Amino acid sequence: MFVLVNLKAYPCDGPAVARAVREVSEESGVRMAVAPQAAQLETIHDTGAETWAQHVSPVEQGSHTGSTLAEAVADAGAVGTLINHSERRLRLADIDGALSAADRADLETVVCANNPAQVGAAAALAPDAVAVEPPELIGGDVSVSTADPGVVKDAVDAATAVDEDVSVFCGAGVSTGSDVAAAGELGAEGVLLASGVAKADDPEAVLWDLVSEI
Ligand SMILES: O=C[C@H](O)COP(=O)(O)O
């Protein structure tokens, strides 16, 4: 199970969360990573936590002002990137372009999708993983693995039907160890979460709970 913590643009102490992620990951043996704001990638990488980008642009080096260049993200220490997050949607051709950019920079990729049909389409582009996240559950208190277990199972079936090598993650409302365990029982190989950690009074306690039933 891979626990990927997206800090989005929350006003949290990113380096403190990253240090806790590194510690919990090292002591539990569970793979965990942090996806901070692009401007904080190097700072987060310096904590020793596995660091991911929230987005890369579908561009090559050149005249692309305001872009998030995959090579720059990798130089800052990221080893992977989200693509097409629900809050950073891309057109199909741009998802494909962002995957090519990530591939050039040797970044692992997780393409986000709203539902199983989108998961199947995303899997056809051969990312490392696809994350299913029903938008209406994002930022809520109820985990996707509890509120809508069928969507996770259907996402696993949809991805497997297209490409068995594409892992399926799930996200939205995940904040406890039992949420993570339920996701695993449904076939997910990772969870993508944000508010449960970034808005917590004690992020480290939440991180320990997240890995408690793996
Ligand atoms: O990237 C994370 C997902 O959008 C889930 O966010 P959430 O854990 O706040 O529901």
Side-chain angles (χ1 to χ4, degrees):
M1 182 60 73
F2 180 25
V3 176
L4 180 46
V5 179
N6 177 8
L7 299 182
K8 300 194 174 182
Y10 283 122
C12 62
D13 184 341
V17 172
R19 283 191 293 274
V21 164
R22 186 204 62 215
E23 184 182 326
V24 174
S25 180
E26 283 176 0
E27 292 188 24
S28 66
V30 176
R31 184 182 177 195
M32 304 174 84
V34 183
Q37 286 284 302
Q40 274 207 310
L41 281 167
E42 201 156 350
T43 302
I44 296 302
H45 172 67
D46 287 346
T47 68
E50 181 174 326
T51 304
W52 278 53
Q54 297 180 4
H55 165 80
V56 292
S57 303
V59 299
E60 299 183 355
Q61 291 172 321
S63 52
H64 304 291
T65 304
S67 61
T68 304
L69 187 66
E71 285 83 351
V73 155
D75 284 349
V79 297
T81 185
L82 301 175
I83 291 171
N84 193 46
H85 190 277
S86 194
E87 294 146 11
R88 193 66 174 82
R89 282 286 182 235
L90 298 174
R91 299 176 192 171
L92 185 63
D94 290 336
I95 297 172
D96 200 20
L99 281 165
S100 297
D103 191 46
R104 272 196 332 264
D106 212 17
L107 296 168
E108 202 171 326
T109 49
V110 175
V111 174
C112 300
N114 283 2
N115 54 45
Q118 290 183 18
V119 164
L125 299 174
D128 294 298
V130 174
V132 65
E133 294 200 310
E136 67 277 12
L137 297 176
I138 291 176
D141 294 330
V142 184
S143 161
V144 59
S145 50
T146 302
D148 198 352
V151 82
V152 181
K153 200 170 177 321
D154 290 350
V156 172
D157 291 344
T160 305
V162 173
D163 185 343
E164 288 185 351
D165 292 334
V166 176
S167 301
V168 174
F169 296 1
C170 66
V174 174
S175 64
T176 68
S178 53
D179 295 339
V180 176
E185 282 162 19
L186 294 164
E189 294 179 51
V191 289
L192 177 60
L193 70 146
S195 52
V197 169
K199 295 172 80 174
D201 292 335
D202 185 350
E204 184 168 346
V206 174
L207 293 166
W208 277 115
D209 186 36
L210 286 166
V211 301
S212 63
E213 297 183 35
I214 296 175

